[in-house]
Amino acid sequence: MFTKARLTLTGWYVLIIMAISIFFSIAEYRSSSAELERSFRRQVFRNTPFITPPVLPDFESSLVQEAERRIALELLLINLIILAGSSFAAYFLAGKTLKPIEIMVDEQKRFVADASHELRTPLTAMKTEIEVTLRDKKLDIKQAREQLNSNLEEVNKMQSLSNYLLSLSKYQDSKSHFEFTDTPILEIINDVAEKTRIVADKKHIGIIVEGENVTAQINPVSITELVNILLDNAVKYSHNDGKIIVKLRQENHLAVISVQDFGMGIKASDLPYIFNRFYRADSSRNKSHIDGYGLGLAIAKSITNLHNGEIQAESVVDTGSIFTVKLPLKMNRVNLRKISAIS
Ligand code: ADP
């Protein structure tokens, strides 16, 4: 697909260059031959001042024609060289122009394939269960209820996946539609921590919130989602009876949020990829069977990008992880312009 597009684009580039080149060649040819004829006439007039011939004498005329032929040949040669050179240059330029689009399309394809794969798993499980249940002639109400409960579990999984996908596309596509208001971040952290404690209590994990209240110009809904993702992960990947420390501080013109857990940690080989869409470290996929789609941190990164901030992860296996988010206190004009350039 891209080879064809590259050739078409090359064709257009060459066409434009050759149209310009031919236009100037014709203009050059016309003005040179007119100049030639004028100078020969001047010469003839100088030799025979009292007779101004309406046409050049044969000898001079053939000289003019010869010179014109030579100019035409030279221009043709120059145009052929331009054609050859511009074809190579245009092919190279077309490749450079299409490269980012090619990367984007590949990424999009991979994303659709991954999303379809993740959706197919619960759908297949549901379909098989329903088929088996329907074949059971002696199905009683208790079994039917169990079946519906199991189906509901799969539906919940699909719903959470579709919510993740929606979030991801929301933060990637329409960055200019977000409102940024001065918001006390500690309030957001406390709210999220309060809600997360319901899940954390089941694993006897304590959540400690520390720090000063920093007010920053943020989009509160998305920052709530960001803190939620980091705290959710910290609980998910912590051992029972663990502890999570959330800190907020101001560092120069930045609000710095850190979420630290003392859980299973992340292998150094996985660390560079955890912010990629659908990436799940093997340990969370296989060994511990922890639910997830590998989209949370990709959304967290999109949210920090939206705020012109950054997110980093440090981790040691079996010791714990610390995720640090840095957000500018003010979404000044420069930042906003940078953001719209990215979008
Ligand atoms: P999910 O948690 O749904 O798999 P995420 O995008 O939130 O997806 O995280 C990507 C991967 O990063 C996870 O699969 C896990 O391997 C790793 N990870 C994220 N947070 C932590 C954490 N606090 N401790 C250990 N591993 C983590």
Side-chain angles (χ1 to χ4, degrees):
M1 172 190 161
F2 274 94
T3 317
K4 202 174 156 217
R6 188 176 186 176
L7 288 175
T8 313
L9 199 58
T10 305
W12 278 107
Y13 282 160
V14 173
L15 196 73
I16 293 166
I17 294 169
M18 288 319 293
I20 297 169
S21 173
I22 289 169
F23 173 80
F24 280 108
S25 299
I26 291 171
E28 171 66 20
Y29 177 79
R30 286 216 173 131
S31 82
S32 301
S33 55
E35 183 57 36
L36 263 174
E37 203 159 324
R38 227 175 294 131
S39 63
F40 270 100
R41 271 178 202 279
R42 242 180 273 133
Q43 222 171 343
V44 172
F45 179 69
R46 229 176 281 135
N47 295 343
T48 51
F50 304 110
I51 314 149
T52 316
V55 285
L56 281 172
D58 281 353
F59 178 67
E60 277 79 4
S61 176
S62 69
L63 278 181
V64 170
Q65 276 174 10
E66 178 55 31
E68 280 177 349
R69 207 175 309 120
R70 231 179 299 132
I71 292 171
L73 259 172
E74 266 171 29
L75 286 174
L76 185 71
L77 194 71
I78 289 171
N79 272 288
L80 283 175
I81 292 169
I82 291 175
L83 177 68
S86 66
S87 300
F88 280 116
Y91 188 70
F92 174 75
L93 271 180
K96 279 238 167 247
T97 313
L98 290 173
K99 195 76 203 160
I101 304 170
E102 191 175 355
I103 292 171
M104 219 174 69
V105 170
D106 280 350
E107 219 173 86
Q108 208 68 30
K109 272 193 210 159
R110 215 176 316 127
F111 177 70
V112 172
D114 286 341
S116 319
H117 175 79
E118 294 293 347
L119 274 171
R120 213 173 43 193
T121 313
L123 273 175
T124 313
M126 238 167 85
K127 186 172 180 269
T128 316
E129 280 178 10
I130 293 170
E131 279 170 355
V132 170
T133 314
L134 283 176
R135 259 186 255 128
D136 186 355
K137 301 240 165 49
K138 294 176 219 146
L139 182 77
D140 60 28
I141 192 82
K142 190 175 161 251
Q143 284 169 312
R145 196 178 284 276
E146 270 171 23
Q147 173 60 52
L148 285 174
N149 272 329
S150 167
N151 286 169
L152 190 63
E153 233 172 72
E154 300 300 337
V155 171
N156 284 339
K157 279 186 196 166
M158 284 192 285
Q159 197 180 30
S160 95
L161 175 60
S162 70
N163 287 343
Y164 272 131
L165 292 174
L166 277 176
S167 273
L168 204 57
S169 72
K170 181 174 73 182
Y171 293 123
Q172 283 181 345
D173 291 343
S174 51
K175 288 174 180 171
S176 53
H177 299 131
F178 289 92
E179 241 183 73
F180 295 86
T181 49
D182 284 331
T183 314
I185 299 180
L186 198 63
E187 282 177 19
I188 292 184
I189 294 175
N190 278 326
D191 281 353
V192 178
E194 206 47 53
K195 284 181 192 131
T196 314
R197 278 194 186 102
I198 300 167
V199 190
D201 283 349
K202 288 182 190 156
K203 288 175 81 175
H204 308 287
I205 295 169
I207 300 177
I208 302 155
V209 179
E210 292 175 356
E212 47 183 317
N213 199 358
V214 182
T215 298
Q217 204 173 11
I218 54 164
N219 176 258
V221 177
S222 60
I223 293 299
T224 305
E225 195 167 349
L226 167 74
V227 176
N228 198 20
I229 289 167
L230 296 182
L231 264 175
D232 240 26
N233 278 351
V235 173
K236 253 186 351 187
Y237 299 107
S238 279
H239 309 299
N240 284 355
D241 305 313
K243 175 172 77 172
I244 295 165
I245 303 172
V246 190
K247 285 185 187 160
L248 173 67
R249 64 178 195 277
Q250 184 173 336
E251 215 179 80
N252 301 322
H253 299 293
L254 298 170
V256 183
I257 308 166
S258 65
V259 178
Q260 182 176 17
D261 67 64
F262 302 87
M264 56 193 278
I266 305 163
K267 274 199 288 182
S269 56
D270 285 320
L271 260 182
Y273 308 106
I274 54 169
F275 294 101
N276 291 357
R277 293 181 300 197
F278 290 109
Y279 189 86
R280 301 202 77 209
D282 280 347
S283 45
S284 38
R285 249 185 223 282
N286 308 329
K287 207 168 70 186
S288 337
H289 298 294
I290 297 169
D291 274 349
Y293 295 103
L295 288 173
L297 290 181
I299 295 170
K301 193 168 173 63
S302 301
I303 295 171
T304 44
N305 285 347
L306 173 77
H307 288 79
N308 211 25
E310 60 179 51
I311 181 165
Q312 290 164 349
E314 293 160 66
S315 189
V316 177
V317 173
D318 290 331
T319 302
S321 313
I322 174 158
F323 286 81
T324 310
V325 177
K326 291 181 180 172
L327 304 170
L329 295 181
K330 284 269 166 245
M331 289 291 289
N332 59 36
R333 277 192 189 166
V334 178
N335 289 338
L336 284 169
R337 223 181 292 138
K338 262 196 207 164
I339 285 165
S340 48
I342 299 164
S343 67

